[in-house]
């Protein structure tokens, strides 16, 4: 077979794993949200095409008509504050104006509980409405709640479903009492998976050729019977070490975006919600928030005691959206209660070595 | 890599607000938004424990051991145990048979320690030797454990030997360590002797059994033995434990599991011999 002989002659064998590694995972590119400049004023307004962390949510229109309890914590009722606003158009489905808002309860008590998070997907759907012979093209902006958030703390998976709604009521604007997280803007980078020779952050240990030679030519002992071993450490398993390796390539990534791609998991116990509650279409991965985000917010805190990011212990927060980007045309006031997640256990109770 | 605004049409406007940029002075040392490699030395912690260590909440690594918190970032250990030295014990090639010949990778064994009660062992396979060594150093730092030392007879001076007879096992190799009087030195084969030196044990008698030719298992058995020194219940530990609040539990009282009466004293549990 010709292909085999080519490989043998070059002396380099490409395993199937190596070839796959070149891709970002399932053939999709991964875009990384990297930290840009801080906002001068944390409450300053941008537009809904801006991708940013923290600050005030920029709704596409003034009168969004989002039901108020979509913007309230399901545990304590406090108004939610914005964690991330990601402008995410879908070119394939021709949806230009689509933004995802990730909201969280600002009180520290609700912090560890995944039910204090909500994700909204706001997109523009064109529809033509005929009223009295006139043809109006009405841009209806529907806010539909996103779907499920998988908050991955170490070794424990939490899962929450946000209730799904239709627009009713008004959203108060410019509420100065609304808590706001420190705001900074995001610019995008593409994840390039480097080769094995990428210099890690701690490259200060230079490995001299002599040292290798000394150790390689060993004296009387022969280390026999060694075979390939997967990476393992006392506190971190292989999945986490791979997660950390991807993270170390771009240590400041705040979120990863890959529409329909594969999430980068930090632990293997992931329960997934498969189906969109509105239309029944399967959900697919869209983006995940990463822990450097909570680090940056933590660093920017003004030292107040009730600061939510100080309590976050999640490693990554995976967000799945409806694969059909459904847009309900009827106003159905159906309330879907969030599924009860496992009781959250703070990281201090983790078992060692798992 | 740092393309402002990205390339895809939709994302291009994401940075449209460049004019507003400009850095506030409120906290937030983020840096590194220019080149990707500029602020490489700066550690961005991934886990909550890493964040707490970075801001200086811990002075000694024993506070982490006290609560059995898993250490997932090697920078934590580097920060808390300053005198850590590493040494490569062995690099062996391991081979795998494939259809088109053999694939050779290198397996590196690295031991780290501060010669004073902390030791770690890391094993990493990689295609290049340098990568394997670097990876093994990181894994070794992640596995740093405390080693308990005690006395053979009179409790004069500093502890110098293992507190009791302990044994560790890996594969078919078992290693048994027996307390030795001062001045005996480490009586062991060359390979475990290195690990014991890094651990800070001055005198010990060892005895091994099994196929010690498989030095990988031999060194792992020694390490396992050292891990067990703090697992052995001696009469010094018979006093009731006074529990201390874990560093993660400060804000969430409702999550505390009521076992015994929680006392909020300063930590009484000294992890010294």
């Amino acid at each position: 077979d010709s292909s085999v002989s080519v490989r043998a002659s070059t002396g380099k064998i490409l395993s199937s794993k190596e070839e796959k590694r070149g891709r970002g995972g399932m053939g999709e590119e991964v875009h990384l949200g990297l930290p840009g400049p801080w906002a001068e004023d944390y409450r300053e307004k941008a537009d809904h095409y801006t991708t940013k962390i923290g600050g005030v949510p920029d709704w596409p229109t003034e009168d969004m008509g989002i039901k108020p309890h979509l913007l309230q914590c399901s545990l304590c009722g406090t108004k939610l504050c914005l964690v991330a606003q990601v402008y995410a158009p879908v070119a394939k489905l021709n949806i230009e104006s689509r933004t995802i808002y990730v909201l969280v309860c600002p009180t520290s008590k609700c912090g560890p509980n995944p039910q204090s998070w909500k994700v909204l997907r706001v997109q523009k759907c064109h529809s033509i409405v005929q009223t009295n012979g006139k043809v109006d093209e009405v841009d209806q902006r529907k806010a539909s709640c996103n779907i499920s958030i998988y908050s991955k703390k170490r070794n424990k998976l939490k899962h929450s479903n946000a209730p799904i709604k239709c627009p009713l009521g008004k959203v108060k604007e410019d509420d100065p009492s609304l808590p706001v997280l420190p705001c900074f803007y995001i610019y995008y980078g593409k994840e390039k998976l480097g080769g094995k020779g990428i210099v890690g952050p701690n490259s200060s240990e230079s490995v001299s050729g002599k040292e290798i030679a000394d150790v390689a030519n060993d004296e009387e002992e022969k280390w026999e019977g060694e075979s390939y071993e997967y990476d393992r450490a006392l506190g971190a398993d292989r999945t986490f070490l791979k997660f950390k390796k991807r993270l170390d390539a771009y240590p400041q990534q705040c979120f990863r975006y890959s529409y329909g791609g594969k999430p980068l998991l930090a632990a293997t116990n992931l329960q997934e919600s498969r189906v969109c509650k509105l239309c029944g279409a399967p959900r697919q991965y869209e983006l995940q928030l990463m822990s450097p985000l909570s680090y940056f917010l933590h660093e920017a805190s003004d030292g107040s005691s009730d600061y939510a990011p100080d309590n976050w212990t999640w490693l990554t927060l995976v967000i799945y959206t409806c694969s059909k980007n459904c847009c309900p045309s009827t106003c159905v006031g159906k309330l879907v209660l969030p599924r009860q997640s496992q009781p959250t256990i703070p990281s201090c109770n983790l078992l060692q070595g798992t | 890599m740092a393309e402002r605004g990205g390339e895809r049409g939709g994302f291009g406007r994401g940075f449209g607000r460049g004019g507003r940029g400009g850095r506030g002075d409120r906290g937030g040392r983020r840096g590194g938004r220019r080149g990707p490699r500029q602020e490489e030395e700066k550690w961005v912690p991934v886990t909550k424990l890493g964040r707490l260590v970075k801001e200086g909440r811990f002075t000694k690594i024993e506070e982490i051991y006290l609560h059995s918190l898993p250490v997932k970032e090697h920078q934590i250990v580097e920060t808390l145990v300053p005198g850590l030295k590493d040494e490569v014990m062995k690099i062996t090639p391991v081979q795998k048979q494939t259809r088109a010949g053999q694939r050779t990778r290198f397996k590196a064994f690295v031991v780290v320690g501060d010669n004073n009660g902390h030791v770690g062992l890391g094993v990493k396979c990689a295609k290049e030797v340098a990568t394997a060594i670097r990876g093994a150093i990181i894994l070794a730092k992640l596995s740093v454990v405390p080693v308990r030392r005690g006395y053979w007879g009179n409790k004069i001076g500093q502890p110098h030997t293992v507190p009791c007879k302990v044994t560790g096992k890996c594969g078919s190799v078992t290693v048994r360590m027996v307390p030795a009087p001062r001045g005996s030195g480490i009586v062991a084969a060359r390979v475990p002797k290195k690990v014991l030196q890094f651990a800070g044990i001055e005198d010990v008698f060892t005895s091994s059994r099994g196929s010690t030719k498989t030095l990988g298992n031999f060194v792992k058995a020694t390490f396992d033995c050292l891990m067990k020194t703090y697992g052995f219940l001696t009469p010094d530990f018979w006093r009731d434990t006074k529990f201390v609040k874990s560093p993660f539990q400060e804000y969430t009282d409702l999550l505390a599991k009521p076992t015994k009466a929680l006392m909020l004293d300063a930590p009484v549990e000294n992890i010294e011999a």
Side-chain angles (χ1 to χ4, degrees), chain A residues 35-36 38 40 45 87 187-188 190 202 226-227 229 231 247 250 291 296 298 310-312 348, chain B residues 1 3 7 10 20 22 26 30 33 46 48 51 54-55 74 90 107 124 190 220 246 251:
Chain A
W38 289 96
E40 278 159 7
K45 291 206 169 293
Y87 172 62
Y187 71 95
Y188 281 95
K190 264 207 207 132
N202 280 343
E226 294 299 331
S227 63
E229 230 179 270
D231 292 347
L247 204 64
Y250 296 92
S291 27
F296 293 142
H298 171 81
D310 284 343
N311 261 355
W312 294 346
C348 64
Chain B
M1 181 204 84
E3 291 141 337
E7 294 165 342
R20 288 173 195 253
R26 283 164 279 226
R30 276 181 298 110
R33 59 189 163 95
V46 169
K48 173 110 192 275
R51 291 201 283 272
K54 180 143 193 209
E55 65 185 15
H74 67 279
K90 182 67 179 177
K107 188 166 175 181
K124 169 93 178 143
R190 189 191 78 93
K220 284 188 210 160
S246 151
Y251 302 105

Side-chain angles (χ1 to χ4, degrees), chain A residues 8-28:
Chain A
S9 65
T10 55
K12 190 162 177 254
I13 293 126
L14 277 181
S15 72
S16 57
K17 262 204 195 141
E18 272 183 61
E19 284 160 334
K20 270 191 215 147
R21 227 190 303 255
R23 296 183 247 157
M26 287 307 132
E28 296 282 339

Side-chain angles (χ1 to χ4, degrees), chain B residues 4-42:
Chain B
R4 300 294 172 96
E7 294 165 342
R8 285 169 44 166
F11 295 155
R13 301 183 61 169
F15 201 65
R17 297 281 146 190
R20 288 173 195 253
R23 251 163 150 217
D25 286 341
R26 283 164 279 226
R29 302 275 148 267
R30 276 181 298 110
R33 59 189 163 95
R34 306 165 226 353
R37 302 278 173 231
Q38 251 178 15
E39 295 252 354
E40 211 172 22
E41 312 310 321
K42 188 163 160 313

Side-chain angles (χ1 to χ4, degrees), chain A residues 90-139:
Chain A
V90 183
K92 278 186 289 194
L93 300 174
N94 272 335
I95 304 178
E96 281 296 316
S97 180
R98 177 176 177 268
T99 316
I100 294 184
Y101 301 87
V102 182
L103 306 162
V104 74
C105 177
T107 58
S108 19
K109 273 183 70 175
C110 296
N113 198 324
Q115 293 182 20
S116 62
W117 291 77
K118 279 195 170 64
V119 180
L120 298 180
R121 162 171 61 97
V122 175
Q123 65 192 41
K124 183 160 99 169
C125 327
H126 292 271
S127 63
I128 298 180
V129 171
Q130 264 187 321
T131 39
N132 301 334
K134 273 192 296 186
V135 174
D136 287 330
E137 192 176 77
V138 173
D139 286 345

Side-chain angles (χ1 to χ4, degrees), chain B:
Chain B
M1 181 204 84
E3 291 141 337
R4 300 294 172 96
E7 294 165 342
R8 285 169 44 166
F11 295 155
R13 301 183 61 169
F15 201 65
R17 297 281 146 190
R20 288 173 195 253
R23 251 163 150 217
D25 286 341
R26 283 164 279 226
R29 302 275 148 267
R30 276 181 298 110
R33 59 189 163 95
R34 306 165 226 353
R37 302 278 173 231
Q38 251 178 15
E39 295 252 354
E40 211 172 22
E41 312 310 321
K42 188 163 160 313
W43 165 37
V44 175
V46 169
T47 52
K48 173 110 192 275
L49 185 64
R51 291 201 283 272
L52 293 175
V53 168
K54 180 143 193 209
E55 65 185 15
R57 275 279 319 261
F58 298 99
T59 44
K60 295 188 302 181
I61 200 171
E62 272 69 31
E63 298 167 37
I64 295 182
Y65 293 144
L66 180 64
H67 298 287
S68 293
L69 304 171
V71 172
K72 298 197 172 196
E73 299 183 75
H74 67 279
Q75 295 97 335
I76 295 175
V77 175
E78 282 171 15
T79 319
L80 291 177
V81 185
L84 221 49
K85 290 197 250 322
D86 56 75
E87 176 163 339
V88 179
M89 299 193 67
K90 182 67 179 177
I91 300 171
T92 58
V94 289
Q95 292 188 333
K96 176 179 161 175
Q97 197 75 355
T98 60
R99 246 181 309 154
Q102 283 174 335
R103 177 171 62 184
T104 302
R105 281 185 280 202
F106 295 98
K107 188 166 175 181
F109 290 82
V110 168
V111 60
V112 308
D114 67 346
N115 288 32
N116 195 15
H118 300 101
V119 65
L121 177 70
V123 179
K124 169 93 178 143
C125 291
K127 289 200 181 62
E128 292 163 25
V129 173
T131 317
I133 292 178
R134 212 178 297 121
I137 291 176
I138 291 178
L139 287 177
K141 286 181 182 165
L142 284 176
S143 311
V144 165
V145 289
V147 171
R148 188 175 181 209
R149 291 160 292 169
Y151 299 96
W152 173 79
N154 290 330
K155 293 190 171 36
I156 313 172
Q158 288 298 308
H160 59 104
T161 184
V162 276
C164 53
K165 294 179 188 172
V166 282
T167 166
K169 184 172 161 70
C170 178
S172 73
V173 180
T174 66
V175 169
R176 184 186 195 217
M177 301 201 310
V178 169
R182 231 179 257 280
S184 320
I186 300 177
V187 180
R190 189 191 78 93
V191 157
K193 182 168 181 167
K194 177 138 298 171
V195 180
L196 294 169
Q197 279 170 341
F198 272 88
I201 292 182
E202 297 163 28
D203 314 287
V204 68
F205 296 137
T206 61
S207 146
S208 57
R209 190 202 144 93
S211 169
T212 57
K213 228 170 25 172
T214 47
L215 287 162
N217 282 347
F218 198 6
V219 74
K220 284 188 210 160
T222 320
F223 184 65
D224 179 53
C225 195
L226 288 172
M227 275 205 284
K228 287 185 172 172
T229 53
Y230 260 117
F232 200 103
L233 183 65
T234 58
D236 322 346
F237 293 149
W238 282 356
R239 295 269 301 281
D240 283 346
T241 317
K242 287 192 175 164
F243 291 104
V244 182
K245 255 189 172 173
S246 151
F248 296 154
Q249 259 187 330
E250 299 207 339
Y251 302 105
T252 49
D253 295 299
L254 50 102
L255 293 166
K257 285 193 200 272
T259 48
K260 288 188 175 186
L262 282 174
M263 301 197 214
L264 299 176
D265 318 31
V268 177
E269 192 83 333
N270 293 331
I271 314 191
E272 311 288 346

Side-chain angles (χ1 to χ4, degrees), chain A residues 184-196:
Chain A
F184 60 92
Y185 297 99
I186 292 283
Y187 71 95
Y188 281 95
K190 264 207 207 132
E191 187 184 43
K192 282 190 206 99
L193 291 171
K196 311 299 169 301

